[in-house]
Amino acid sequence: MPLKTYERPYLRKLNAGLGNKFGTRNSQVPVTEIDGVPVAKLMEEYGSPCFVLSEQTIRQTYRNAVRAFSTRYPKVQMAWSYKTNYLNAVCRIFHDEGSWAEVVSIFEYRKALANGVPGTQILFNGPDKSEDDLRTAVQHGSLIHIDHLDEVYLLSEILASEGLKARVALRINMDTGVYPLWDRFGFNYENGSAWTAVTKVMAQPRMELVGLHCHIGTYMLSAQAYAVASHKLCDLADEIRKQYQRRIEYLDLGGGFASGNTLKGSYLQGSDVIPTMDDYAEAITSTILQHPFAMSGEIPTLYLESGRALIDDAGYLLGSVLALKRLGDGRRATIMDFGVNLLFTSFWYEHRISPAQEYSSHHEDMVLYGPLCMNIDVVRENVSLPLLKRGDRVVVHRVGAYNMTQWMQFIQMRPNVVLIDRQGQVHLIRRRETVDTLNEMELTPLHLELGQGKPA
Amino acid sequence: MPEVLSALFAMNPMKISQNIAISENGFLFNPATGDSFSTNACGKEIIRLLQEGQSQAQILEALQREFEVDQASLEKDLADFLYMLGNYRLLDANAQ
Amino acid sequence: MSSGRTPCTVAVSGLNNIDSPGPGMPVIRALRESSNLEVRIVGLSYDSLEPGLYMHDLVDKSYQIPLPSAGTEALLERLKYIQSIEQIDVLIPNFDAELHNFIRIAPLLRDSLRIKTFLPDLADFDARHKAVLFEYGQQHGVLVPKSHTVFTLMEFHRALEANTYPVVVKGKYYDAQIAYSADEAVSAFYKISAKWGLPVLLQEHVRGTEVNVTVLGDGTGSCIGAVPMRKLYITDKGKAWAGVSIEDEALMQLSRTLIESARWKGPCELEFMRSEEGEYYLMEMNPRFPAWVYLACGCGQNHPEALVQMAMGYHPEPMTRYRVGHMFIRYSQDLIVPMEEFEKISTLGEL
Ligand SMILES: Cc1ncc(COP(=O)(O)O)c(C=O)c1O
């Protein structure tokens, strides 16, 4: 008689008041392929863990965003927010689709240049721009988004010494009815700092105030907040028009649109509560189009720096089970070969995790730990998954944003990153790090070189 | 030794409460406590063997004859299952 | 049908007919008494211990459905399975926590599963939310106590300065405490924010008598039914123990105006406070039937029946009359259930 397929013995207490198992079916459905490429094959070739990006999804998501805005508004320009994911292959897809670059450091700035973005199509944001950084940006004719008054003075000196002019925008922060208020960046609208900054910049003969910028927060669950932000930027632009007869050329509404991930502590699934790209677009464009400022002359170009919402869905993390355990209180714990070192976002998301092979309908609640020797290395505090065993593969969804830039090299090295193109071809776009990657950066003082005898 | 641990490491056959009933669907009811549980095919088999009074070694052997599984995994999983039985007070406390 | 009643299958959730009951069973009882409909009832439950599961004279067949936290994808998947067995015509969700998801999938239910609902859209659903109820009231000409949504202690202090005591400190979802001084208010802020998180609502206190109305709107500006009730006694959980239908033309007028102005679609419960000056303040608007909706039926207005009719495309006449002075008194009784039934619903998800 052939042997029966084995599934480890399982026992679950039926507790009242804890819902039922007919709710978690979709966490059982295995994800065996990404864009037609078998997960097992990807992991055999590129190892475990391994990040996977879908070019198809990136382009689709981007085009949907462009459609949502440009069908409502005549002049829209996207600028890819580098910090979200600055792998060159990813950036180039966005640039290929027509996106400019939004950067917040000279290192990102140089990446953008190297990715073929003309200096005039780079928006330089952020509080950290050194004198050299500003000089570089000025020389390339980039749009400088000023964060604080010190920057106004520094930039003014640089422009004088270079004998150049710069096109600048002011970063404005404001109350949009959403908490927390990001009032540490730029100039506050309500307390008048924004207007003070306007007068300061307007007094600079070498600065041309062409834009107003805001980035009101990230993972914004309210499209209405963007209507408020758009309104306030328009008010400010209108005031500038009246007082200085200067026309603001563009309004940059920043990023912050939510992705379908579920925030920790949220009762409902993220994908069920986030506004759609059309909701955001409607809130922003209808506000601007109806504002007296837009009606008073040429309408401003709308810049957007969406990051998370454009790349999160396209990223997957593949990994496998290292071990199973029981915790002191009887709970099941599963240890994965990826943790917070690679999934920084698991600090605030309850990432959806699918098995990559078939199981029975049984499932158990468990804590999902990463491989680090560190107590905070928890991927999911409580997740219901099938009866996993050592070596089983899983797919973590929606990891494209911020993980491949905030990952840390701690205990483990960073893994391979691959891109699946639209023909289903797999391309390695970032090699896994090795011990040499680290050692290459290190220098050993002569007296600590091996074979130099004992140090004195 | 705590009850659960002694049950886990006991070499002599472990007693499972005889009046525990398991249905076709793997629904397990403990009439002594009123608790109910859900188990799968392998779990059902282990409980049946325990009720027959088989030892751990015998159960291991029986399962290996029935399922396609390596010894190490099976040992580990069986120990875990017995631990859970003990944890849920399904083992007879007076067995030893 | 010999009765001449229209046969239809109605799925109903909220079968938790316990000491602080969900509206499901009262809705089902009203449907069973319909003179126009011959209903088969499909119960939808989240937990194996919801009493309605075991009330076979009222519920024909029950299915477990995934918790709202599992998401609409899982819910749709499950309903697709259920609809492959049943022929549900109309679905009435009754739990606060599930409404968002059902509203979201309502078009899909209609188009791909042929299940009709009668719900407000998301914009209307969100517009009457606790945190924005004041603006909602202003828009539709109803008084609402002024409230501030605060995220920090500093904002809370600022909001306190603009208020006179007593004030009400409210949690994001539940809980409310009356504070008679700044110290009391701050301590309530700490307590409530620790339990329910931020934001916390600071609300003007309205002294008076609570009166509630169960209402049904047709979504085009007509109020199809409304019955007002005053609670006579509440349980230690703050739920109605007994209540009585009352006569209050001003209150009825106000409720109708609100439903008409907001073009409210579906059932809702309006919770009012009648101040000592005789003014009505809207305290909450719950976008579902209340658990006491069977009283409306007992007073001559069968709201669940009318809702099913509207969902099926009929236009029932607005109900304007009801019997005043009828009471509901809640009681509970113990069902005796063999373990096999619990096993069935727990392991198979159907009963
Ligand atoms: C100035 C600026 N623009 C755009 C973004 C991208 O934000 P998101 O990924 O939330 O769209 C950020 C992120 O912090 C930012 O700081």
Side-chain angles (χ1 to χ4, degrees):
Chain A
M1 201 173 76
L3 296 180
K4 289 189 202 155
T5 326
Y6 176 74
E7 177 184 66
R8 64 181 158 80
Y10 142 99
L11 186 68
R12 190 170 64 100
K13 187 164 177 184
L14 298 173
N15 287 321
L18 288 184
N20 66 79
K21 71 171 185 173
F22 303 94
T24 39
R25 274 280 154 74
N26 69 336
S27 70
Q28 308 286 122
V29 178
V31 172
T32 54
E33 290 188 347
I34 297 171
D35 288 3
V37 184
V39 169
K41 181 165 166 269
L42 285 166
M43 290 172 84
E44 274 153 26
E45 277 176 39
Y46 298 98
S48 176
C50 163
F51 277 104
V52 178
L53 287 152
S54 157
E55 180 170 353
Q56 174 75 9
T57 307
I58 297 176
R59 290 188 189 266
Q60 265 171 8
T61 313
Y62 182 87
R63 286 174 194 181
N64 180 52
V66 170
R67 177 204 51 76
F69 280 92
S70 57
T71 51
R72 293 179 165 85
Y73 199 85
K75 295 195 287 184
V76 180
Q77 179 58 55
M78 299 280 178
W80 174 238
S81 171
Y82 262 51
K83 71 188 88 51
T84 316
N85 188 322
Y86 42 58
L87 291 173
N88 293 330
V90 169
C91 297
R92 285 180 193 212
I93 296 172
F94 284 109
H95 299 322
D96 183 53
E97 289 285 335
S99 191
W100 292 10
E102 182 270 329
V103 304
V104 287
S105 68
I106 194 67
F107 133 73
E108 291 183 356
Y109 189 97
R110 295 208 177 281
K111 264 196 159 231
L113 284 181
N115 282 326
V117 183
T120 52
Q121 298 184 1
I122 301 177
L123 316 182
F124 199 171
N125 275 321
D128 181 6
K129 308 184 194 87
S130 73
E131 185 174 339
D132 281 349
D133 301 348
L134 283 172
R135 202 178 298 278
T136 307
V138 165
Q139 285 162 353
H140 284 89
S142 299
L143 292 158
I144 298 168
H145 289 188
I146 297 173
D147 180 75
H148 43 261
L149 278 184
D150 292 303
E151 196 176 334
V152 177
Y153 296 119
L154 178 59
L155 182 60
S156 155
E157 285 166 26
I158 294 167
L159 292 172
S161 76
E162 296 277 316
L164 288 170
K165 284 195 154 196
R167 287 160 59 78
V168 304
L170 287 171
R171 166 101 180 236
I172 311 295
N173 69 63
M174 60 191 82
D175 183 1
T176 59
V178 166
Y179 182 84
L181 211 147
W182 282 26
D183 56 0
R184 53 175 284 192
F185 304 108
F187 304 92
N188 186 257
Y189 176 82
E190 285 82 14
N191 72 4
S193 310
W195 187 253
T196 308
V198 167
T199 58
K200 285 273 186 300
V201 169
M202 290 305 296
Q204 302 296 326
R206 294 180 178 277
M207 289 184 205
E208 196 186 349
L209 182 60
V210 291
L212 294 176
H213 170 227
C214 69
H215 172 70
I216 57 177
T218 192
Y219 198 91
M220 304 295 287
L221 283 170
S222 154
Q224 179 55 26
Y226 285 92
V228 175
S230 306
H231 198 86
K232 290 185 175 175
L233 286 192
C234 284
D235 279 350
L236 197 56
D238 212 31
E239 201 54 34
I240 295 169
R241 174 182 68 88
K242 288 180 192 151
Q243 303 268 337
Y244 292 98
Q245 289 76 50
R246 161 169 289 281
R247 209 162 170 84
I248 291 295
E249 295 171 19
Y250 70 85
L251 300 177
D252 180 349
L253 267 295
F257 307 147
S259 74
N261 263 309
T262 303
L263 281 186
K264 277 191 180 171
S266 158
Y267 181 65
L268 298 174
Q269 290 284 306
S271 53
D272 289 334
V273 293
I274 60 167
T276 62
M277 205 43 98
D278 287 276
D279 296 335
Y280 292 121
E282 184 61 31
I284 292 172
T285 59
S286 65
T287 306
I288 300 177
L289 289 171
Q290 285 161 28
H291 196 281
F293 172 66
M295 299 192 210
S296 67
E298 191 166 341
I299 67 161
T301 306
L302 173 61
Y303 286 20
L304 295 160
E305 308 167 347
S306 176
R308 184 187 304 282
L310 296 187
I311 189 67
D312 228 4
D313 283 10
Y316 303 84
L317 176 60
L318 314 183
S320 25
V321 176
L322 290 177
L324 302 174
K325 288 199 168 179
R326 287 273 168 211
L327 299 178
D329 58 6
R331 271 183 309 157
R332 161 72 68 207
T334 306
I335 305 168
M336 308 302 304
D337 62 0
F338 58 86
V340 295
N341 53 328
L342 302 182
L343 268 190
F344 197 80
T345 49
S346 53
F347 285 126
W348 51 83
Y349 285 151
E350 288 185 351
H351 278 291
R352 179 173 156 221
I353 298 176
S354 308
Q357 49 270 300
E358 293 286 346
Y359 292 92
S360 77
S361 67
H362 291 289
H363 66 105
E364 55 186 351
D365 291 339
M366 60 183 82
V367 197
L368 220 57
Y369 290 125
L372 308 183
C373 314
M374 184 170 79
N375 207 34
I376 59 165
D377 188 21
V378 183
V379 177
R380 286 289 303 267
E381 266 132 35
N382 185 8
V383 61
S384 183
L385 283 170
L387 305 182
L388 301 170
K389 56 183 188 304
R390 182 182 158 80
D392 282 358
R393 298 172 170 128
V394 302
V395 177
V396 190
H397 300 263
R398 296 198 174 103
V399 304
Y402 295 105
N403 286 306
M404 281 158 260
T405 51
Q406 295 187 355
W407 50 6
M408 54 181 164
Q409 184 281 304
F410 174 59
I411 300 185
Q412 294 293 336
M413 311 301 287
R414 299 181 180 99
N416 281 326
V417 182
V418 302
L419 176 81
I420 303 176
D421 71 20
R422 282 176 293 175
Q423 281 71 47
Q425 295 294 316
V426 183
H427 307 264
L428 183 62
I429 60 168
R430 192 179 193 277
R431 270 197 309 277
R432 81 158 63 89
E433 295 173 353
T434 67
V435 65
D436 295 334
T437 319
L438 267 194
N439 283 341
E440 197 186 350
M441 307 306 296
E442 296 190 30
L443 304 170
T444 310
L446 196 58
H447 69 282
L448 297 175
E449 289 284 3
L450 296 178
Q452 293 299 305
K454 272 200 182 300
Chain B
M1 226 194 291
E3 191 186 316
V4 168
L5 288 187
S6 62
L8 196 54
F9 293 111
M11 290 312 289
N12 52 331
M14 249 173 287
K15 278 266 175 58
I16 187 155
S17 318
Q18 285 300 326
N19 47 358
I20 282 175
I22 307 193
S23 78
E24 242 339 81
N25 306 323
F27 177 85
L28 188 153
F29 178 60
N30 183 357
T33 60
D35 288 336
S36 46
F37 304 86
S38 163
T39 185
N40 58 356
C42 187
K44 243 172 21 186
E45 186 63 7
I46 296 173
I47 291 169
R48 191 183 64 78
L49 294 166
L50 282 171
Q51 283 181 328
E52 279 179 10
Q54 307 237 10
S55 72
Q56 261 197 72
Q58 288 170 314
I59 295 175
L60 268 177
E61 218 175 285
L63 292 178
Q64 268 203 298
R65 262 182 274 120
E66 187 173 348
F67 294 101
E68 183 166 352
V69 59
D70 64 279
Q71 172 132 10
S73 302
L74 190 58
E75 263 183 49
K76 197 179 57 166
D77 294 345
L78 178 61
D80 182 63
F81 189 72
L82 294 175
Y83 165 84
M84 288 314 283
L85 286 177
N87 200 25
Y88 287 137
R89 311 262 162 235
L90 289 166
L91 295 178
D92 209 330
N94 318 317
Q96 281 78 42
Chain C
M1 273 310 125
S2 59
S3 64
R5 297 186 293 171
T6 314
C8 65
T9 303
V10 183
V12 180
S13 69
L15 311 183
N16 54 329
N17 210 30
I18 49 170
D19 58 345
S20 91
M25 296 318 292
V27 165
I28 292 170
R29 287 182 68 201
L31 290 175
R32 289 267 178 226
E33 290 179 16
S34 164
S35 49
N36 297 303
L37 305 168
E38 165 99 35
V39 291
R40 169 179 165 79
I41 297 291
V42 171
L44 303 175
S45 80
Y46 291 102
D47 196 279
S48 307
L49 286 184
E50 291 182 31
L53 288 171
Y54 306 98
M55 300 183 175
H56 305 306
D57 50 337
L58 288 170
V59 181
D60 295 295
K61 173 93 191 264
S62 294
Y63 297 86
Q64 305 263 46
I65 55 170
L67 286 171
S69 57
T72 50
E73 211 185 311
L75 178 61
L76 264 176
E77 201 52 44
R78 182 67 180 159
L79 289 172
K80 198 186 288 177
Y81 165 77
I82 296 171
Q83 189 67 335
S84 74
I85 302 166
E86 303 289 340
Q87 288 186 328
I88 298 169
D89 296 299
V90 177
L91 188 153
I92 309 177
N94 288 304
F95 263 125
D96 286 322
E98 72 186 355
L99 290 173
H100 175 97
N101 284 357
F102 274 107
I103 291 173
R104 206 163 163 117
I105 64 170
L108 278 170
L109 287 181
R110 182 194 58 212
D111 298 340
S112 60
L113 297 180
R114 299 173 321 284
I115 298 176
K116 298 168 207 83
T117 53
F118 203 73
L119 296 164
D121 64 18
L122 270 184
D124 288 343
F125 178 74
D126 289 339
R128 48 88 245 165
H129 212 269
K130 222 199 269 201
V132 290
L133 191 63
F134 182 77
E135 290 76 14
Y136 191 73
Q138 280 189 318
Q139 206 180 331
H140 301 296
V142 179
L143 291 172
V144 175
K146 194 149 179 70
S147 74
H148 295 266
T149 308
V150 298
F151 288 91
T152 63
L153 191 58
M154 217 167 76
E155 287 174 9
F156 186 74
H157 277 296
R158 223 179 293 146
L160 273 181
E161 280 166 24
N163 259 294
T164 51
Y165 293 95
V167 293
V168 186
V169 184
K170 282 189 164 180
K172 184 161 49 164
Y173 302 117
Y174 302 103
D175 230 350
Q177 275 184 36
I178 300 176
Y180 295 90
S181 67
D183 282 353
E184 275 183 39
V186 169
S187 116
F189 173 86
Y190 279 123
K191 235 186 254 160
I192 288 177
S193 61
K195 191 154 174 201
W196 302 106
L198 293 164
V200 162
L201 263 63
L202 185 71
Q203 196 173 65
E204 179 189 340
H205 180 248
V206 180
R207 220 185 296 265
T209 322
E210 189 185 329
V211 279
N212 298 336
V213 192
T214 179
V215 201
L216 186 62
D218 75 348
T220 64
S222 277
C223 180
I224 297 301
V227 174
M229 177 277 288
R230 154 104 200 276
K231 289 178 192 170
L232 292 176
Y233 198 76
I234 54 172
T235 67
D236 52 5
K237 287 196 174 150
K239 299 285 162 184
W241 174 320
V244 60
S245 59
I246 54 172
E247 181 172 5
D248 186 334
E249 194 38 44
L251 174 63
M252 294 304 283
Q253 194 52 48
L254 189 60
S255 304
R256 276 195 293 265
T257 310
L258 172 58
I259 294 307
E260 286 164 10
S261 162
R263 296 172 168 267
W264 184 259
K265 183 175 177 189
C268 79
E269 176 187 28
L270 303 173
E271 296 185 11
F272 284 101
M273 196 64 93
R274 183 168 52 205
S275 76
E276 284 156 358
E277 292 76 36
E279 286 182 312
Y280 292 91
Y281 285 85
L282 180 64
M283 309 303 288
E284 252 173 65
M285 181 167 175
N286 302 315
R288 47 152 177 79
F289 287 122
W292 56 272
V293 65
Y294 187 66
L295 176 69
C297 183
C299 293
Q301 293 194 8
N302 193 333
H303 292 183
E305 174 193 49
L307 178 133
V308 169
Q309 288 176 313
M310 288 194 287
M312 302 217 300
Y314 300 104
H315 300 281
E317 280 297 308
M319 299 172 266
T320 50
R321 298 167 55 82
Y322 61 92
R323 282 189 286 275
V324 173
H326 273 51
M327 289 166 62
F328 74 87
I329 303 168
R330 290 214 170 114
Y331 72 107
S332 57
Q333 68 175 14
D334 302 348
L335 288 170
I336 305 304
V337 176
M339 201 69 195
E340 287 74 45
E341 296 211 343
F342 175 73
E343 170 193 341
K344 240 189 188 160
I345 189 75
S346 308
T347 57
L348 303 178
E350 302 177 23
L351 183 64

mmCIF file of all heavy atoms in Angstrom, chain A residues 396-411:
data_model
loop_
_atom_site.group_PDB
_atom_site.id
_atom_site.type_symbol
_atom_site.label_atom_id
_atom_site.label_comp_id
_atom_site.label_asym_id
_atom_site.label_seq_id
_atom_site.Cartn_x
_atom_site.Cartn_y
_atom_site.Cartn_z
ATOM 1 N N VAL A 396 6.341 37.118 0.765
ATOM 2 C CA VAL A 396 5.839 38.294 1.467
ATOM 3 C C VAL A 396 5.449 39.317 0.406
ATOM 4 O O VAL A 396 6.222 39.579 -0.517
ATOM 5 C CB VAL A 396 6.895 38.905 2.404
ATOM 6 C CG1 VAL A 396 6.262 39.974 3.290
ATOM 7 C CG2 VAL A 396 7.555 37.830 3.235
ATOM 8 N N HIS A 397 4.254 39.878 0.556
ATOM 9 C CA HIS A 397 3.737 40.779 -0.470
ATOM 10 C C HIS A 397 3.960 42.251 -0.121
ATOM 11 O O HIS A 397 4.088 42.605 1.034
ATOM 12 C CB HIS A 397 2.229 40.554 -0.640
ATOM 13 C CG HIS A 397 1.891 39.155 -1.041
ATOM 14 N ND1 HIS A 397 1.677 38.795 -2.342
ATOM 15 C CD2 HIS A 397 1.778 38.010 -0.311
ATOM 16 C CE1 HIS A 397 1.412 37.493 -2.393
ATOM 17 N NE2 HIS A 397 1.466 37.005 -1.170
ATOM 18 N N ARG A 398 3.920 43.059 -1.158
ATOM 19 C CA ARG A 398 3.982 44.521 -1.015
ATOM 20 C C ARG A 398 5.171 44.984 -0.174
ATOM 21 O O ARG A 398 5.014 45.568 0.886
ATOM 22 C CB ARG A 398 2.689 45.047 -0.376
ATOM 23 C CG ARG A 398 1.469 44.796 -1.243
ATOM 24 C CD ARG A 398 0.314 45.678 -0.819
ATOM 25 N NE ARG A 398 -0.793 45.545 -1.720
ATOM 26 C CZ ARG A 398 -1.900 44.824 -1.460
ATOM 27 N NH1 ARG A 398 -2.031 44.217 -0.303
ATOM 28 N NH2 ARG A 398 -2.866 44.762 -2.343
ATOM 29 N N VAL A 399 6.352 44.678 -0.650
ATOM 30 C CA VAL A 399 7.546 45.081 0.084
ATOM 31 C C VAL A 399 8.437 45.991 -0.760
ATOM 32 O O VAL A 399 9.587 46.234 -0.422
ATOM 33 C CB VAL A 399 8.356 43.848 0.546
ATOM 34 C CG1 VAL A 399 7.488 42.914 1.372
ATOM 35 C CG2 VAL A 399 8.946 43.092 -0.644
ATOM 36 N N GLY A 400 7.891 46.528 -1.869
ATOM 37 C CA GLY A 400 8.720 47.278 -2.808
ATOM 38 C C GLY A 400 9.198 48.628 -2.300
ATOM 39 O O GLY A 400 10.202 49.150 -2.767
ATOM 40 N N ALA A 401 8.470 49.215 -1.356
ATOM 41 C CA ALA A 401 8.809 50.559 -0.910
ATOM 42 C C ALA A 401 9.614 50.535 0.377
ATOM 43 O O ALA A 401 9.247 49.848 1.335
ATOM 44 C CB ALA A 401 7.537 51.380 -0.700
ATOM 45 N N TYR A 402 10.674 51.267 0.405
ATOM 46 C CA TYR A 402 11.495 51.555 1.583
ATOM 47 C C TYR A 402 12.319 50.383 2.116
ATOM 48 O O TYR A 402 13.258 50.590 2.881
ATOM 49 C CB TYR A 402 10.657 52.166 2.721
ATOM 50 C CG TYR A 402 10.114 53.518 2.326
ATOM 51 C CD1 TYR A 402 8.783 53.678 1.998
ATOM 52 C CD2 TYR A 402 10.960 54.612 2.214
ATOM 53 C CE1 TYR A 402 8.292 54.903 1.581
ATOM 54 C CE2 TYR A 402 10.485 55.846 1.803
ATOM 55 C CZ TYR A 402 9.142 55.981 1.483
ATOM 56 O OH TYR A 402 8.674 57.197 1.063
ATOM 57 N N ASN A 403 12.002 49.155 1.748
ATOM 58 C CA ASN A 403 12.805 48.052 2.290
ATOM 59 C C ASN A 403 14.164 47.956 1.624
ATOM 60 O O ASN A 403 15.172 47.721 2.295
ATOM 61 C CB ASN A 403 12.038 46.735 2.166
ATOM 62 C CG ASN A 403 10.931 46.654 3.186
ATOM 63 O OD1 ASN A 403 11.182 46.812 4.384
ATOM 64 N ND2 ASN A 403 9.709 46.465 2.732
ATOM 65 N N MET A 404 14.208 48.145 0.308
ATOM 66 C CA MET A 404 15.481 48.009 -0.389
ATOM 67 C C MET A 404 16.330 49.264 -0.250
ATOM 68 O O MET A 404 17.372 49.393 -0.878
ATOM 69 C CB MET A 404 15.237 47.644 -1.853
ATOM 70 C CG MET A 404 14.916 46.163 -1.989
ATOM 71 S SD MET A 404 14.026 45.775 -3.512
ATOM 72 C CE MET A 404 12.349 45.646 -2.906
ATOM 73 N N THR A 405 15.865 50.205 0.587
ATOM 74 C CA THR A 405 16.719 51.345 0.915
ATOM 75 C C THR A 405 16.973 51.431 2.421
ATOM 76 O O THR A 405 17.989 51.943 2.843
ATOM 77 C CB THR A 405 16.093 52.672 0.435
ATOM 78 O OG1 THR A 405 14.742 52.751 0.899
ATOM 79 C CG2 THR A 405 16.093 52.759 -1.073
ATOM 80 N N GLN A 406 16.064 50.897 3.216
ATOM 81 C CA GLN A 406 16.255 50.982 4.669
ATOM 82 C C GLN A 406 16.762 49.673 5.252
ATOM 83 O O GLN A 406 16.933 49.560 6.464
ATOM 84 C CB GLN A 406 14.936 51.378 5.346
ATOM 85 C CG GLN A 406 14.484 52.775 4.973
ATOM 86 C CD GLN A 406 13.283 53.240 5.759
ATOM 87 O OE1 GLN A 406 12.704 52.514 6.532
ATOM 88 N NE2 GLN A 406 12.892 54.479 5.559
ATOM 89 N N TRP A 407 16.959 48.679 4.441
ATOM 90 C CA TRP A 407 17.471 47.401 4.946
ATOM 91 C C TRP A 407 18.780 47.617 5.643
ATOM 92 O O TRP A 407 19.519 48.557 5.375
ATOM 93 C CB TRP A 407 17.590 46.379 3.824
ATOM 94 C CG TRP A 407 18.321 46.840 2.573
ATOM 95 C CD1 TRP A 407 18.988 48.019 2.379
ATOM 96 C CD2 TRP A 407 18.419 46.118 1.345
ATOM 97 N NE1 TRP A 407 19.482 48.070 1.110
ATOM 98 C CE2 TRP A 407 19.161 46.930 0.454
ATOM 99 C CE3 TRP A 407 17.973 44.877 0.915
ATOM 100 C CZ2 TRP A 407 19.453 46.522 -0.855
ATOM 101 C CZ3 TRP A 407 18.256 44.483 -0.380
ATOM 102 C CH2 TRP A 407 18.990 45.303 -1.244
ATOM 103 N N MET A 408 19.109 46.727 6.564
ATOM 104 C CA MET A 408 20.367 46.916 7.262
ATOM 105 C C MET A 408 21.220 45.668 7.189
ATOM 106 O O MET A 408 20.725 44.556 7.150
ATOM 107 C CB MET A 408 20.127 47.310 8.706
ATOM 108 C CG MET A 408 19.231 46.375 9.473
ATOM 109 S SD MET A 408 19.020 46.990 11.143
ATOM 110 C CE MET A 408 17.601 46.051 11.645
ATOM 111 N N GLN A 409 22.514 45.929 7.158
ATOM 112 C CA GLN A 409 23.460 44.829 7.136
ATOM 113 C C GLN A 409 23.798 44.566 8.587
ATOM 114 O O GLN A 409 24.706 45.153 9.123
ATOM 115 C CB GLN A 409 24.689 45.216 6.294
ATOM 116 C CG GLN A 409 25.689 44.106 6.138
ATOM 117 C CD GLN A 409 26.550 43.980 7.371
ATOM 118 O OE1 GLN A 409 27.189 44.952 7.774
ATOM 119 N NE2 GLN A 409 26.552 42.817 7.993
ATOM 120 N N PHE A 410 23.016 43.718 9.230
ATOM 121 C CA PHE A 410 23.253 43.396 10.625
ATOM 122 C C PHE A 410 23.104 41.890 10.759
ATOM 123 O O PHE A 410 22.063 41.345 10.421
ATOM 124 C CB PHE A 410 22.242 44.130 11.510
ATOM 125 C CG PHE A 410 22.302 43.755 12.966
ATOM 126 C CD1 PHE A 410 23.471 43.925 13.680
ATOM 127 C CD2 PHE A 410 21.189 43.225 13.606
ATOM 128 C CE1 PHE A 410 23.531 43.578 15.026
ATOM 129 C CE2 PHE A 410 21.242 42.878 14.950
ATOM 130 C CZ PHE A 410 22.413 43.053 15.665
ATOM 131 N N ILE A 411 24.139 41.239 11.154
ATOM 132 C CA ILE A 411 24.187 39.789 11.331
ATOM 133 C C ILE A 411 24.144 39.053 9.986
ATOM 134 O O ILE A 411 24.920 38.143 9.748
ATOM 135 C CB ILE A 411 23.086 39.282 12.287
ATOM 136 C CG1 ILE A 411 23.291 39.947 13.664
ATOM 137 C CG2 ILE A 411 23.134 37.753 12.394
ATOM 138 C CD1 ILE A 411 22.372 39.456 14.743
#
